[in-house]
Amino acid sequence: MTVAVEYYVLLSMALFCIGLFGVLTRRNALLFLMSVELMLNAANINLIAFAFYHGNLTGQVFALFTMALAAAEVAVGLGIILVLYRNFRDVDVTVPTTMRW
Amino acid sequence: MEGVFDYAPAIAVFPLVAFVVALAFGKHLPKKGAIPGILATGGSLLLSVVMLAAVARGEVYHETLYQWAAGDAISEVGTEGITFTFGILIDPLAALMLVIVSLVAFLVHIFSLGYMNAEGETGLPRYYAGLGLFTFSMLAFVYADNLLMAFMFFELVGLCSFLLIGFWFRTKSAPSAAKKAFLVTRFGDYFFLIGVVAIAATFGTLQFAGDDSFVTAAETAITDGTTLFGFDADTWVTITALLVLGGVIGKSAQFPLHTWLPDAMEGPTTVSALIHAATMVAAGVYLVARMFGYYALSPTALGIIAFVGGFTALFAATMGVVKDDIKQVLAYSTISQYGYMMLGLGVGGYVAGVFHLMNHAFFKALLFLGAGAVIVLMHHEQDMWKMGGLKDKAPVTYYTFLAGALALAGIVPFSGFWSKDEILYDALIVGLEEPVILAAYAMGLVAVFFTGFYTFRMVFLTFHGEPRSEAAEDPHSVGWSIKAPLIVLGVLALVAGIANLAPVAKLAQLDITFLESWLDGEYGAIEGLTYGAYDGLLGYDTEYIGTESTTVLIAAGVSLLLAFSGAGLAWMLYNVPEPVAHKERLGRLGDAAEANYYQDEYQVWLANGLTVPLARAADRFDQTVIDGVVNGVSTTSLFGSGRMKRLQTGIVTNYAALLVTGFIVLLLVFGILGGWFL
């Protein structure tokens, strides 16, 4: 049984919107980071679905790249969060606004 | 003797060495630097005479010694690659002038021994250093072989005049006079500089002589009818010639840039002698003579030179009539005499102009040194009304001064008569064809009367009559170092006219115009730099009143008559035991003449009334409009960025929201344009 590609797209869209919602509303930097992961995964689902639909491997390869990227991003992001915490004793992303100008 | 010219650079280098020695060691030398100066100028004189002899044997020298810059720009006439060089050009004119300059400088140095050293003056090393530098600049200027080198030494001459006029810098008037001399002549030099640049850009060369000279290039351009910078070639030559003339008018104290020269009397009298006879003021006229081939190409420029010269001759002579200070009279006389030289050159009387330059150098140096001697006699009194009766007490000074005065007034057979008469004769024969020149001639002729008058007014007031002050009754004595230069120059003032007895030669059909043959290259000359070559270029027609002999006789007779009547009037008015000023007879005209026709006031008014408001307006324009635009631009961007930076919150969430909103808006826009929702 094959699932039609529209469903994957719908799933991806839902996942992406949840992630976006998280990014826009959450203040906790860790949740922020998780929301970003959700959005990245939404993109991954799309990539794999279309790769399967078109019958070539490019999309899957790109999904692997995205995962590597996500891992790197998390490493950097966690570093930033650690510094954030050290400087502000908080992980609320709305507190540090000193880089404004 | 090919090698003789190898020593030519030394002519100028000797005084330069004297300058350095006087400046560095003058304090420790026995005569405070006078000895090196005398030796150096003596050496220069000796070498100059050797050069003169070499030229007389038919040799000339034109060599580029040093090239200090070369460019590859293409000039207007297409010549590629201009080079800036130092070179030496010794032709009959330069050789003659070298002798004059070094002779006068030599005598001035000797005279200084009696004039400056005897007075316990301080700062003597500075004085002798100045004299040395002055002589160096002028000698180098004289044998410069290109216009740029000439310009550089022209400027250096101006600097030296600044240094020497302001020698007594502790007084108030001397520094002010020095500044005035520097600035006024500088004003003319701006035009000169532009002229040099224009000539370089047009012809790609600044050489005075040879096939690649700018004179030859200009001649070719005019013959070919080339268009230069949008002008006809001859118009452009006139423009550049007039620009260079600006420098000449400033340095040679021609109207309207003559105002610095009377003030320059603030310097030591010896310096005045040097400035007036052989260096600074002579430099301008010499430059015209040096570039005469170029001026000959432009009748307009020549006409202007003649007119300015004639006007200056008369204008300055009338001011000389009412002055009371002996040096002031001489100063105005210098302006007037250089006016004559310009008149002579302007009417194409190249020989006459150079002849007068030579004679004037001798008799004006004599008169200034004589005035210096009088000032020593009078215990530093310069007012002629406090003198009188010096005739019997200082016979050497009197008779030499009298020789100078007779030469200046143009009384036959003294040197001044021959050269002035030749100038006037040349002006007359051209003037009979050209009304403008005739006007210049008329002014020059009237000035002869005034010259005779003020010269003998000065002589009678100074030497004749009864002593009018204690100092005049008991004059200070003068030494040999003062008398010797006076005697040498006195003899020269008497006999120098032999060089070119043109009227006699014309009347008696004799070949005795030595100076004319000399300048015509009969002995030796560089091609194109001879009187004959210039004469060929001139566009003047000449005419005679009746025959040539009648014209000569009438011209000489009229000017001699005027000179005698001027001197005679002075005799009547001032050769009395108790002379009075007679100034009230002149009325308001006399007041105006005494106030120099309000030239200084006029120029101050010009500066205050015109230049300052203009500068203020320019400043306001700069402050408001130019700076306004610049400041406006920066204010606008400051204000804009002030508003823009409010978009930055520093909160990551906001940026994310903005990103998403932007993405959605873009999506919608592309969607609508792409026709998705149709």
Side-chain angles (χ1 to χ4, degrees):
Chain A
M1 181 193 95
T2 51
V3 180
V5 80
E6 291 89 351
Y7 295 103
Y8 291 106
V9 175
L10 275 173
L11 174 66
S12 154
M13 205 195 277
L15 213 55
F16 187 85
C17 286
I18 292 165
L20 186 61
F21 181 75
V23 166
L24 292 184
T25 53
R26 292 291 153 182
R27 297 176 144 207
N28 188 315
L30 289 168
L31 287 175
F32 203 89
L33 212 55
M34 286 176 201
S35 305
V36 173
E37 291 300 315
L38 276 182
M39 284 156 76
L40 284 170
N41 278 325
N44 279 346
I45 289 172
N46 263 357
L47 285 169
I48 293 165
F50 284 120
F52 182 70
Y53 182 74
H54 287 297
N56 71 19
L57 289 175
T58 318
Q60 300 199 17
V61 173
F62 268 95
L64 282 172
F65 275 128
T66 313
M67 280 175 213
L69 196 76
E73 183 232 306
V74 167
V76 175
L78 282 175
I80 292 173
I81 288 165
L82 280 174
V83 175
L84 195 69
Y85 184 74
R86 197 180 302 151
N87 282 330
F88 294 94
R89 294 282 143 199
D90 202 348
V91 287
D92 185 342
V93 289
T94 59
V95 175
T97 56
T98 45
M99 275 171 66
R100 193 155 38 150
W101 47 65
Chain B
M1 263 222 325
E2 182 58 44
V4 114
F5 288 111
D6 291 343
Y7 302 106
I11 296 178
V13 172
F14 279 154
L16 183 65
V17 171
F19 156 71
V20 174
V21 169
L23 205 60
F25 312 109
K27 249 186 282 182
H28 312 291
L29 292 174
K31 293 277 184 193
K32 308 285 178 200
I35 304 296
I38 291 173
L39 290 178
T41 45
S44 296
L45 177 60
L46 206 66
L47 272 177
S48 304
V49 172
V50 170
M51 300 295 151
L52 192 78
V55 175
R57 274 197 310 276
E59 295 172 46
V60 284
Y61 183 65
H62 182 201
E63 207 74 53
T64 298
L65 297 180
Y66 175 67
Q67 174 181 331
W68 50 280
D72 50 5
I74 297 174
S75 69
E76 184 77 0
V77 293
T79 330
E80 241 178 284
I82 182 169
T83 52
F84 299 127
T85 54
F86 279 150
I88 290 183
L89 170 69
I90 297 184
D91 68 335
L93 176 66
L96 179 70
M97 195 67 191
L98 284 177
V99 173
I100 295 172
V101 174
S102 48
L103 175 67
V104 172
F106 179 59
L107 294 176
V108 164
H109 270 90
I110 293 181
F111 190 89
S112 298
L113 275 179
Y115 189 75
M116 301 294 283
N117 284 51
E119 305 287 329
E121 195 72 59
T122 54
L124 279 175
R126 189 160 50 84
Y127 169 78
Y128 284 109
L131 281 191
L133 190 64
F134 212 152
T135 316
F136 157 70
S137 330
M138 187 63 192
L139 288 169
F141 169 74
V142 165
Y143 64 31
D145 82 327
N146 64 70
L147 195 55
L148 187 69
M149 183 179 167
F151 176 76
M152 292 163 77
F153 287 102
F154 203 69
E155 290 301 300
L156 207 53
V157 170
L159 169 73
C160 295
S161 75
F162 171 78
L163 295 174
L164 284 172
I165 293 169
F167 176 67
W168 287 308
F169 62 89
R170 285 185 184 85
T171 64
K172 206 173 171 187
S173 50
S176 143
K179 265 185 279 182
K180 187 171 175 185
F182 191 70
L183 290 178
V184 173
T185 57
R186 210 68 224 290
F187 179 72
D189 290 344
Y190 284 128
F191 295 102
F192 186 10
L193 179 60
I194 299 169
V196 171
V197 173
I199 288 176
T202 313
F203 303 115
T205 168
L206 288 165
Q207 293 292 320
F208 283 135
D211 289 335
D212 56 348
S213 70
F214 61 87
V215 183
T216 319
E219 206 183 329
T220 319
I222 288 177
T223 324
D224 297 350
T226 322
T227 305
L228 301 168
F229 293 105
F231 293 96
D232 290 338
D234 45 356
T235 316
W236 183 249
V237 167
T238 305
I239 291 172
T240 49
L242 288 179
L243 284 171
V244 174
L245 189 67
V248 174
I249 285 182
K251 281 281 193 296
S252 279
Q254 299 294 295
F255 179 83
L257 298 183
H258 62 276
T259 50
W260 65 271
L261 197 127
D263 291 37
M265 296 299 112
E266 291 298 330
T269 312
T270 43
V271 171
S272 304
L274 196 60
I275 289 180
H276 289 238
T279 54
M280 176 105 167
V281 196
V285 170
Y286 180 78
L287 184 68
V288 177
R290 179 82 286 172
M291 287 176 60
F292 199 68
Y294 198 68
Y295 282 104
L297 293 171
S298 164
T300 318
L302 279 182
I304 289 174
I305 293 177
F307 196 80
V308 168
F311 181 71
T312 309
L314 177 59
F315 185 68
T318 57
M319 289 186 273
V321 166
V322 293
K323 297 294 168 188
D324 297 326
D325 183 323
I326 184 167
K327 284 178 77 181
Q328 288 281 329
V329 176
L330 288 174
Y332 282 103
S333 139
T334 302
I335 301 175
S336 170
Q337 295 302 307
Y338 279 95
Y340 275 115
M341 289 171 217
M342 295 286 271
L343 171 65
L345 290 170
V347 297
Y350 174 68
V351 174
V354 174
F355 188 29
H356 200 52
L357 181 62
M358 176 183 101
N359 287 340
H360 180 266
F362 297 142
F363 68 69
K364 189 49 67 66
L366 168 63
L367 286 171
F368 264 112
L369 296 183
V374 167
I375 291 168
V376 171
L377 288 167
M378 292 295 301
H379 308 276
H380 292 270
E381 178 58 66
Q382 302 189 8
D383 188 343
M384 296 192 294
W385 291 104
K386 294 188 178 149
M387 299 178 186
L390 291 174
K391 183 170 67 157
D392 306 318
K393 285 162 185 148
V396 175
T397 312
Y398 172 62
Y399 287 110
T400 50
F401 197 87
L402 189 64
L406 287 166
L408 171 62
I411 307 281
V412 74
F414 286 83
S415 61
F417 167 75
W418 302 104
S419 50
K420 195 189 285 182
D421 183 62
E422 207 178 329
I423 286 172
L424 289 172
Y425 171 74
D426 283 343
L428 175 64
I429 57 172
V430 175
L432 290 173
E433 284 284 316
E434 313 250 347
V436 178
I437 306 287
L438 194 63
Y441 166 73
M443 291 191 286
L445 196 62
V446 175
V448 171
F449 172 77
F450 285 106
T451 312
F453 182 74
Y454 71 67
T455 311
F456 280 93
R457 174 176 175 268
M458 175 173 68
V459 171
F460 293 140
L461 284 181
T462 311
F463 292 100
H464 289 230
E466 296 298 318
R468 286 185 296 275
S469 69
E470 277 178 33
E473 274 168 22
D474 179 27
H476 192 278
S477 62
V478 292
W480 65 269
S481 61
I482 285 186
K483 285 177 187 163
L486 287 180
I487 293 167
V488 172
L489 287 169
V491 172
L492 278 172
L494 174 61
V495 303
I498 292 173
N500 212 34
L501 301 173
V504 181
K506 288 201 183 82
L507 292 177
Q509 304 294 328
L510 290 172
D511 191 19
I512 50 169
T513 50
F514 303 112
L515 190 72
E516 189 175 323
S517 334
W518 175 258
L519 292 172
D520 201 16
E522 250 172 56
Y523 302 97
I526 288 164
E527 200 189 336
L529 291 187
T530 60
Y531 176 53
Y534 297 147
D535 219 27
L537 292 174
L538 284 171
Y540 285 135
D541 294 323
T542 53
E543 207 184 333
Y544 300 117
I545 309 171
T547 63
E548 189 181 5
S549 316
T550 354
T551 318
V552 170
L553 278 175
I554 289 174
V558 168
S559 64
L560 201 56
L561 189 73
L562 280 171
F564 270 122
S565 51
L569 186 63
W571 173 285
M572 266 171 52
L573 292 180
Y574 297 108
N575 193 22
V576 289
E578 297 290 331
V580 284
H582 298 295
K583 221 167 259 177
E584 68 284 359
R585 294 196 198 177
L586 291 169
R588 290 177 59 192
L589 207 61
D591 294 339
E594 195 164 16
N596 310 331
Y597 296 104
Y598 309 107
Q599 277 293 298
D600 285 317
E601 285 79 358
Y602 161 70
Q603 284 179 3
V604 167
W605 173 82
L606 207 64
N608 282 336
L610 194 68
T611 316
V612 170
L614 201 68
R616 289 242 169 81
D619 181 56
R620 194 158 300 143
F621 179 77
D622 182 49
Q623 296 281 333
T624 53
V625 179
I626 308 280
D627 286 8
V629 168
V630 175
N631 290 341
V633 167
S634 61
T635 312
T636 312
S637 80
L638 259 179
F639 178 80
S641 56
R643 289 280 168 281
M644 286 290 279
K645 75 180 181 186
R646 284 169 203 274
L647 283 177
Q648 313 280 339
T649 55
I651 299 168
V652 187
T653 323
N654 290 3
Y655 298 134
L658 281 174
L659 269 175
V660 171
T661 319
F663 176 71
I664 289 170
V665 168
L666 265 181
L667 209 63
L668 282 174
V669 169
F670 282 127
I672 289 166
L673 290 180
W676 288 354
F677 307 110
L678 290 179

